Amino acid sequence: LKFVETGLDPGFRLFITALPHPEFPLGLLQMSTKVTNEPPAGLQAGILRSYTVLVDQDRLERVDGPMWRQLLFGLCFLHSIVQERRKFGSLGWCIPYEYNTGDITACILFLEKHLYNGPISWQTFQYMVADVQYGGKI
């Protein structure tokens, strides 16, 4: 209310990010507009989101050769499958984990740097993606 008295612009909006906490004012939460960012439903929508959010034309042209684009698609496909699998809950997983764009971004950066250094080591690539990045959270 003090803001209204001081002549604050009525178009002003405040965005708050908060974790659940017992001392967070319930009244503020109830009168606020809640915004969430959920991953898209469906495998095709997940791949499309990966390509629209993470992969742009500049990233596609950074590494020469057809292997880069094929492996990039494979990573986006894997990430979409893992995200789509969440609807089954923790069945087959030790602990539930929310995979997000940070996971696929780390894999893409690893692949990009690995391809810059010459021929790809499949054992290293498989270990880093399957065991460390995605399997390390299972």
Side-chain angles (χ1 to χ4, degrees), residues 26-44:
L26 187 59
L28 178 64
L29 184 63
Q30 289 174 341
M31 68 179 177
S32 299
T33 302
K34 279 69 94 188
V35 179
T36 60
N37 186 12
E38 294 291 326
L43 188 61
Q44 183 177 4

Side-chain angles (χ1 to χ4, degrees), residues 100-114:
N100 54 29
T101 56
D103 299 305
I104 190 170
T105 302
C107 289
I108 290 172
L109 287 174
F110 174 77
L111 175 63
E112 187 178 330
K113 291 178 191 234
H114 199 69

Side-chain angles (χ1 to χ4, degrees), residues 16-30 32:
I16 298 175
T17 303
L19 293 173
H21 194 274
E23 295 181 20
F24 192 84
L26 187 59
L28 178 64
L29 184 63
Q30 289 174 341
S32 299

